[in-house]
Amino acid sequence: MTPIVPIAEFANHVGQEVTVRGWLYNKTGKGRLQFLQVRDGSGIAQCVIFEKDVAPEVFEAAKSITQESSLAVTGVVRQDDRAPGVPGGYELGVAALSIIQTAEPYPIQPKEHGVEFLEDNRHLWVRSSRQWAILRVRATLIKIIRDWLDGHGYLLVDTPIISANAGEESSTLFGLDFFGEQAYLAQTGQLYNEANIMSFGKVYCFGPTFRAEKSKTRRHLAEFWMVEPEMAFFDLDDLMAMEEQFVSSVIQTALTERRVELEYLERDTSRLQKITPPFPRISYDEALALLAEIRENTDDPEQKALLALEWGSDFGSPHETAIAESFEKPVFVYHYPTACKAFYMTPVAGRPEVCRSVDLLAPEGYGEITGGSERIHDLAILEERVKEIGIDPAAYNWYLDLRRYGTVPHAGFGLGVERLVAWVCGLPHVRETVPYARRMTRLYP
RNA sequence: UCCUCAGUAGCUCAAUCGGCAGAGCAACCGGCUGUUAACCGGUGGGUUCUAGGUUCAAGUCCUAGCUGAGGAGCCA
């Protein structure tokens, strides 16, 4: 028996006879010479079959094998610069071939397809090398995020996905029947994080979150993954300092660990390499002034209209993009108007119309990548805010309790995994950043 | 919810002024010893999104609907 070797490790097996088990990704023939591109999950390798080198039935099988048939090939690994693949540069000189199953005509070809067709066939599309590369980057980013937090004193504390809190924005929640009671799929684990920091100091939750918003844009999913760190004894400055270390480190590590995949995706990583601390920081007021300046300098009347904004409104997508494009690195925008942020964000002392919140806007049009704030830790102020917003204090009794029993200043933020993956991979749409996207128009497969 | 655009072969698309439904790829058959989404020759493949309407004649024009895409709002 020859050893079964992952394609990714071909470089360590040059001159040795090995077996690869996998699927036929693509095939081209030149008469008495056949090229099979075989993928095994770790990579894609070209397997070369000369008619004179193998038994007639093996060559016949190689000629007639269909795309995505499952197979095992045995042969000697050799270095050859002409060999395509991932990582490429090595190929297999085939001595034996066995077909496990001959695939029926495969719907996805190595060519352009429409997005609806591809999403209908997502269960097959995940095999495509581009999707394979993206999902490997995604898995690595998640691992790096967790490694960084675990290595910096944060404890993973899971928060519930089924939640009773109607709270802030019930229109954007997915409802469900919980043994006769109205329940909702979680939008955030943050309120539970605030309880957990009083036990563990620094925590994070990492899981799927759900928004029933009828959003149809390249940045929105109905089900998306979010990591939410929350820290006791953190103020807004601590928060920004932590975020820039965290985000920079995650990106730099991903560039190293997934170099091959990002190269395959033809991602220009030069801009990502510049993502190092410190990040620029501007206030909401300064951001408004910056937008006004950008409006002054543009001749495009459409752009002028899009960028119009009055004090007190939250930024839309065009504003975020324009602000972010003014900087090479991600930019922090802090002190947003209290009215356009969540009720639990701390008002600025002496200026309660703005709050101690901060969003991180990614460059290259990827928009808001994190959103966070210093939370209200004073019971009286929080009770007042609850009253102002008009939500039922009874439903938040446990949350208010946290301010009754040893409250401390604290802060936290949420980072959207899909937007991070899209940014790192340079993708135009978040639909490709998650294995099975759930969007307003997409529930199957 | 609003704005814009689109729907023709398995896939990606064409079809002039309203006048016989087309190509490439895929599939199938044949050829080719270094292909990179190979190439060359051949074969089969259609409820033109749906329902009405106008017309001698509708993929094309009109009305309504369905589905999708991009954007806005909202957000990570």
Side-chain angles (χ1 to χ4, degrees):
Chain A
M1 273 295 279
T2 53
I4 291 157
V5 166
I7 289 166
E9 290 170 23
F10 265 17
N12 303 325
H13 295 271
V14 175
Q16 298 171 16
E17 188 176 64
V18 304
T19 294
V20 169
R21 295 186 299 196
W23 300 263
L24 184 72
Y25 190 60
N26 200 8
K27 183 184 72 163
T28 89
K30 272 281 283 179
R32 297 175 199 291
L33 171 64
Q34 297 290 325
F35 299 97
L36 309 183
Q37 281 197 48
V38 174
R39 50 176 197 84
D40 72 342
S42 81
I44 302 174
Q46 173 164 278
C47 302
V48 187
I49 304 182
F50 284 102
E51 186 174 25
K52 66 176 171 50
D53 292 346
V54 296
E57 62 272 17
V58 168
F59 191 75
E60 214 32 60
K63 267 174 73 175
S64 63
I65 189 169
T66 57
Q67 189 187 354
E68 288 303 323
S69 291
S70 44
L71 51 81
V73 279
T74 299
V76 174
V77 177
R78 58 184 179 233
Q79 190 165 10
D80 192 317
D81 292 338
R82 294 170 298 185
V86 181
Y90 299 90
E91 64 182 22
L92 197 73
V94 175
L97 163 71
S98 70
I99 296 173
I100 298 162
Q101 189 242 344
T102 298
E104 295 176 22
Y106 193 67
I108 300 179
Q109 300 166 40
K111 62 167 230 180
E112 300 263 336
H113 292 282
V115 289
E116 188 184 5
F117 172 78
L118 288 170
E119 282 195 282
D120 283 343
N121 289 284
R122 183 56 167 169
H123 55 299
L124 304 176
W125 191 23
V126 291
R127 303 183 189 190
S128 298
S129 51
R130 196 178 155 76
Q131 301 308 310
W132 173 87
I134 292 165
L135 293 177
R136 281 164 68 93
V137 173
R138 174 191 172 93
T140 299
L141 281 168
I142 290 171
K143 180 182 183 301
I144 297 167
I145 286 168
R146 294 200 42 180
D147 283 349
W148 192 95
L149 292 168
D150 291 344
H152 285 78
Y154 291 74
L155 190 74
L156 174 70
V157 184
D158 301 315
T159 53
I161 286 170
I162 299 174
S163 163
N165 283 48
E168 321 164 43
E169 303 277 337
S170 58
S171 64
T172 68
L173 293 166
F174 286 106
L176 67 116
D177 174 55
F178 189 75
F179 305 112
E181 244 183 290
Q182 177 68 56
Y184 304 92
L185 293 177
Q187 261 189 337
T188 169
Q190 184 216 310
L191 303 191
Y192 296 96
N193 273 343
E194 290 186 62
N196 295 334
I197 53 166
M198 306 303 180
S199 175
F200 304 105
K202 295 196 288 189
V203 305
Y204 67 100
C205 62
F206 199 139
T209 51
F210 307 88
R211 303 275 166 98
E213 277 291 343
K214 292 189 173 177
S215 293
K216 286 179 60 172
T217 81
R218 64 181 68 204
R219 298 176 308 282
H220 289 88
L221 296 168
E223 174 184 285
F224 67 98
W225 287 69
M226 186 157 68
V227 57
E228 295 176 276
E230 189 79 23
M231 296 74 78
F233 304 107
F234 260 52
D235 66 16
L236 199 63
D237 290 326
D238 298 328
L239 184 67
M240 287 191 265
M242 179 268 177
E243 281 192 43
E244 67 192 4
Q245 291 294 335
F246 171 67
V247 170
S248 304
S249 179
V250 165
I251 286 179
Q252 295 312 318
T253 309
L255 289 181
T256 309
E257 291 193 7
R258 285 293 176 230
R259 191 183 50 78
V260 169
E261 285 78 4
L262 293 172
E263 224 165 76
Y264 183 83
L265 293 168
E266 297 179 324
R267 175 61 161 131
D268 173 12
T269 55
S270 63
R271 290 201 62 178
L272 293 174
Q273 277 158 11
K274 293 177 188 154
I275 311 298
T276 53
F279 295 167
R281 303 173 183 199
I282 61 171
S283 69
Y284 174 85
D285 294 344
E286 287 165 342
L288 272 193
L290 177 61
L291 283 172
E293 193 181 315
I294 295 168
R295 280 191 76 207
E296 282 293 309
N297 295 334
T298 183
D299 296 325
D300 183 356
E302 199 180 332
Q303 182 76 352
K304 253 187 166 60
L306 274 173
L307 291 180
L309 195 72
E310 288 190 2
W311 196 97
S313 303
D314 204 354
F315 299 128
S317 176
H319 311 108
E320 284 183 357
T321 302
I323 295 165
E325 272 174 359
S326 308
F327 300 91
E328 281 214 313
K329 296 181 184 182
V331 54
F332 286 116
V333 181
Y334 60 91
H335 287 188
Y336 279 81
T338 308
C340 62
K341 288 289 177 184
F343 72 93
Y344 47 72
M345 298 190 181
T346 308
V348 171
R351 208 188 157 201
E353 70 274 17
V354 296
C355 62
R356 299 176 69 81
S357 56
V358 60
D359 287 356
L360 183 63
L361 308 182
E364 299 176 76
Y366 286 96
E368 188 178 340
I369 215 88
T370 78
S373 67
E374 205 177 308
R375 324 302 190 187
I376 297 173
H377 67 278
D378 181 87
L379 179 62
I381 297 173
L382 188 60
E383 280 177 330
E384 197 179 313
R385 286 291 288 149
V386 166
K387 206 178 295 173
E388 271 175 35
I389 296 294
I391 51 182
D392 178 15
Y396 285 89
N397 209 21
W398 70 265
Y399 186 65
L400 294 167
D401 259 359
L402 304 175
R403 278 76 184 166
R404 293 189 179 102
Y405 304 109
T407 189
V408 296
H410 61 286
F413 69 96
L415 179 147
V417 171
E418 285 74 20
R419 288 188 184 175
L420 177 69
V421 176
W423 177 27
V424 169
C425 292
L427 305 179
H429 199 298
V430 291
R431 85 177 112 232
E432 295 177 67
T433 64
V434 62
Y436 299 90
R438 292 291 176 256
R439 299 181 296 118
M440 196 172 86
T441 56
R442 177 59 57 183
L443 181 59
Y444 176 92

